[in-house]
């Protein structure tokens, strides 16, 4: 699990997080809600250890492998084919029931048919690139998914597949999203951010 103790983070005079305590258990989907700038992405960055809190302590289990889907696009290699780009993270992904899913099959499940898989990344639209980045993250085999606005620019068929995939994901998921239906569908616990504090809702 991941444990946050007395986490505080400020940006100048603005207090993003103030004395936050949170225990994140395995097998749960956590949703982080709140207005833009309320500190949700800051908390994800602290969990991912890409930034440090001003005070407090983050304890991460030794077996935790984090996979972080950010709002900022990474530099895609546009001269690669779609399948080669995905295979940089692995040829197979092992599901909770032990079944293995190949890179080709995962692409098919998320609406990249086999003939398309040999097209160049440069030919993809912005939404298709986001979908491919998400698949690359899943293929890397994390057991703790950090998803910052994963539903932005995804079409409805892709969202349906993502929701179904998260249903079967047995490990930790932490999602920042403004998509109420998506969160109602996927989240086990809801946390609202405001004035540096976090309040849990059933």
């Amino acid at each position: 699990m991941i444990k946050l103790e007395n986490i505080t983070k400020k940006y100048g005079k603005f207090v993003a997080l103030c004395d936050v305590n949170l225990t994140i258990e395995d097998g749960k989907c956590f949703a982080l809600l709140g207005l833009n700038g309320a500190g949700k992405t800051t908390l994800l960055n602290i969990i991912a250890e890409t930034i440090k809190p001003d005070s407090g302590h983050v304890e991460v289990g030794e077996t935790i492998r984090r996979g972080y889907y950010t709002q900022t696009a990474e530099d895609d290699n546009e001269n690669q084919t779609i399948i080669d780009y995905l295979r940089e993270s692995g040829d197979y992904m092992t599901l909770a029931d032990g079944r293995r899913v190949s890179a080709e099959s995962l692409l098919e499940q998320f609406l990249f048919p086999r003939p398309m898989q040999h097209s160049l990344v440069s030919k993809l639209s912005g939404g298709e690139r986001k979908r491919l980045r998400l698949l690359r993250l899943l293929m890397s085999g994390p057991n703790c998914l950090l998803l910052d606005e994963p539903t932005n620019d995804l079409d409805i068929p892709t969202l349906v597949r993502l929701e179904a995939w998260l249903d079967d994901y047995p490990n930790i998921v932490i999602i920042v999203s403004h998509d109420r239906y998506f969160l109602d569908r996927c989240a086990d616990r809801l946390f609202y951010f405001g004035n540096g504090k976090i309040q849990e809702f059933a």
Side-chain angles (χ1 to χ4, degrees):
M1 65 180 180
I2 300 170
K3 191 171 185 179
L4 310 175
E5 296 180 331
N6 307 117
I7 298 296
T8 295
K9 181 65 179 179
K10 299 178 182 178
Y11 297 99
K13 293 183 179 180
F14 172 69
V15 180
L17 300 169
C18 180
D19 201 27
V20 169
N21 293 280
L22 184 61
T23 299
I24 299 167
E25 309 103 338
D26 202 6
K28 295 287 185 181
C29 181
F30 295 75
L32 310 184
L33 312 170
L35 299 176
N36 289 332
K40 305 182 300 296
T41 297
T42 293
L43 186 67
L44 281 190
N45 285 328
I46 288 173
I47 293 171
E49 296 184 301
T50 58
I51 64 173
K52 293 183 178 180
D54 296 329
S55 62
H57 176 68
V58 180
E59 183 178 346
V60 179
E62 291 183 2
T63 60
I64 291 289
R65 301 184 309 278
R66 286 158 289 194
Y68 192 6
Y69 180 87
T70 67
Q71 294 186 56
T72 305
E74 62 187 25
D75 293 328
D76 300 329
N77 188 340
E78 297 194 342
N79 295 320
Q80 281 183 303
T81 63
I82 293 170
I83 185 65
D84 287 341
Y85 176 79
L86 185 60
R87 279 178 173 162
E88 285 187 341
S89 288
D91 292 320
Y92 292 90
M93 179 176 64
T94 303
L95 302 180
D97 60 7
R99 289 181 296 124
R100 295 206 307 173
V101 177
S102 68
E104 292 91 344
S105 294
L106 185 64
L107 284 168
E108 281 189 310
Q109 289 177 32
F110 280 83
L111 307 178
F112 291 103
R114 299 230 174 189
M116 183 182 182
Q117 294 175 16
H118 297 282
S119 300
L120 295 179
V121 173
S122 60
K123 303 294 185 181
L124 298 178
S125 67
E128 288 170 333
R129 290 190 188 201
K130 287 193 170 186
R131 191 194 319 160
L132 184 59
R133 279 204 301 125
L134 183 60
L135 294 186
R136 181 165 154 142
L137 176 66
L138 300 181
M139 183 61 76
S140 68
N143 59 15
C144 175
L145 283 175
L146 310 175
L147 305 177
D148 195 0
E149 299 286 0
T151 65
N152 285 1
D153 300 320
L154 295 183
D155 55 28
I156 290 176
T158 304
L159 283 174
V160 170
R161 284 159 175 78
L162 178 58
E163 290 163 1
W165 195 91
L166 291 175
D167 279 344
D168 294 329
Y169 187 72
N171 302 308
I172 295 171
V173 184
I174 307 171
I175 302 173
V176 170
S177 180
H178 295 282
D179 186 332
R180 178 173 175 175
Y181 177 81
F182 178 70
L183 295 181
D184 283 346
R185 173 74 171 73
C186 297
D188 299 304
R189 299 175 68 184
L190 304 174
F191 295 89
Y192 181 78
F193 285 59
N195 301 317
K197 300 291 186 180
I198 302 177
Q199 183 177 0
E200 182 173 3
F201 288 86

